Amino acid sequence: MTVTWRVGVDIGGTFTDIVLFGSDGTIHTKKISSSVDDYARAIVVGLAELFAETGVTGDAIEEIRHGTTVASNAILEQKGARTGLITTKGFRDVLEIRTLRMPRLYDIAWEKPAPLVERYLRRVVDERVDAQGRIERPLDEDEAARVVQALLDEGVEAIAICLLNSYANPAHEQAIAAIIRDLAPDLALSVSAEVLPEIKEYERTSTTVINAYIMPIVARYLRSLRGGLDRAGVPARLLLMQSNGGLMTAEAAVAKPMHIVESGPAAGVVGAQALARAKGLPDVITFDMGGTTAKAATVERGEVTRATEYSVGGGIMVGSRLLTGAGYLLKVPAIDLAEVGAGGGSLVRIDAGGSLQVGPESAGASPGPVCYDMGGTEPTVTDANVILGYLNPGHLVGGAVRLNAESARAAFEAKVARPLGLELARAAHGAHLIAVSNMIRAIRAVSSERGRDPRDFALFSFGGNGPLFACRMAEALGMRRVVVPPAPGLFSAFGLLYADVEHHYSRSLRRQTRRLDLAELNAALDALSSQALDQLAAEGFTGAEARLRRAAALHYHGQSFDLTVPLPDGPITTDALRALEEAFGQEHERTYGHRAGVEEPVELVSIQVVGQGVRTGEAQPLGGVPSRAEAAAPAPRRIFLGPEEGWVEAPVIRRVDLAAPQTGPLIVEEYDATCLVLPGWRASLDDARNILLDKP
């Protein structure tokens, strides 16, 4: 039987991770430094090295699944396309007025981020459609053509169209789009009625603009990647991870790149969901710590928690999730992630007040931590972990990256320990604990700030640095179980192999549930379902391989914020509406700690349909073992556990050695990650080769 292969590729700020998964269950992995000047190059080079090591050929690759940060980087670095905006007269400044949400209360010095479209590139047309879709003032197409030409004369690379109430009647937007396609057929174009046909002017405008802003950037990147793969003899289909945890084709990503802005972090959560379901763990908090950031999310009752909107480009979240408004709003479904600037490359420094600080600035892949010997001079969390004995200087990435422990000690001594008047090990341990406290904020943001008790969850830890911090974080949060999957440092790339193709559709339908016209609701759901099924059929998913999932966003009448509740299959009946109201009330109580009485009217805000393409019979790497051989376990080494325990000698073992359970302190050393097991924790291996850490 001919073996075919699927590839998962995840690009991080420090490393690019590649996983090859064969139809016979074989797994090959590769971890190489990211090529920050051209991320596509590292993918092609890494695949070539894997082919040379394994004998796999490019024509045997069936599919490449890719998580990328190219879209988010374009926003973060303000390097998107030169974009113009056409909107209704009187609404030119929606992007600047925003929603008056502030990330820091009472901070009069805080400034809103500059709009992605400068004011002189925001042009208006004198038209008006009311909230019911009735045309109050017709569009003057001659005026619209002049506005379009004015933007083209300014040299814009993309245009966003967002007119008032176009979600109720898109005729005027469609007319302007036709003019643009006639005058500039190759120009990137983002139309709000196609991108986000929902109520709320700022959210719709911001999302439409972001989509236009990153369209040319994503298109160039995917062309470059496609060209590199073709030259390397890899003609496989390319799928992109979306922020919501589903996959989309490269062609769909070029048309709606807004869906891949948080592409990178989503894959690991999807993989954690699959493994947690397989192991009967319905409630887990995922913790993904790499070289630059740490991210947390929840899987509750076997389902990933998703947000209906999020902000990007406003800096890394370091505090409460209840304070928003720092970045650029994207109203698209996304896995509900919290992120902090705490990774292995996070800089350790002393602030102006003499306090030790960790992150959010990072040494990244270049120059990297001091111990990498690549020109870094500022101490980092990785340098602290080398000093503490947690990391083996000769073993990072299976020995491919050797660490200079003496350089780490010298930098930490000069820039941290001596200025603080501390012994070197205690200074490094202090930095380690501060990193832990920073990362705990992310876990609290997706648990206690969402009305969930983290003690009711298991901590699912992965990323190159996650298993090193997992026990200490679980102890601080009162969590009693930690799960470390196989190949934790490459797990986000593995997560791509668990994902399915998904397409998300929505539309506003603002009605009180007790006055709802069921025929109107069912017709709207059927229309969205047809869109989803047509898109899936175009990509080869029909019959049992095309599945639909439906949901509704609701709130109590008068509220500003919505909660999303699943809708049952089939036509919505009066009984189904009553059940929907009850489900909303329960979710409101879970999230906010209370619910209104039965007499309080519930309002439907929007409906959502997800079309899912599932390859039936497709093998999954559950319990898969990377083919890379594990070296013999190194000798025990001394590690520093804090001022009370001091230096202790800890066994250093391989994952396979946990076939017989052992208790900490000990270190599990692997090709792509190191797991620190603290005293009082029991480590064992389950039948899928997950490390289970339990605190009796």
Side-chain angles (χ1 to χ4, degrees), residues 239-250:
L239 296 174
L240 279 296
M241 171 58 73
Q242 300 179 66
S243 311
N244 56 51
L247 297 167
M248 70 192 312
T249 63

Side-chain angles (χ1 to χ4, degrees), residues 145-159:
R146 289 193 296 273
V147 166
V148 170
Q149 189 59 56
L151 287 176
L152 295 176
D153 292 343
E154 293 287 356
V156 296
E157 302 169 274
I159 292 180

Side-chain angles (χ1 to χ4, degrees), residues 232-281:
V234 187
R237 180 170 72 149
L238 183 61
L239 296 174
L240 279 296
M241 171 58 73
Q242 300 179 66
S243 311
N244 56 51
L247 297 167
M248 70 192 312
T249 63
E251 295 75 20
V254 169
K256 292 185 179 178
M258 63 184 188
H259 287 299
I260 66 166
V261 170
E262 287 296 325
S263 167
V269 182
V270 173
Q273 176 193 32
L275 281 185
R277 282 176 173 173
K279 301 311 299 176
L281 293 170

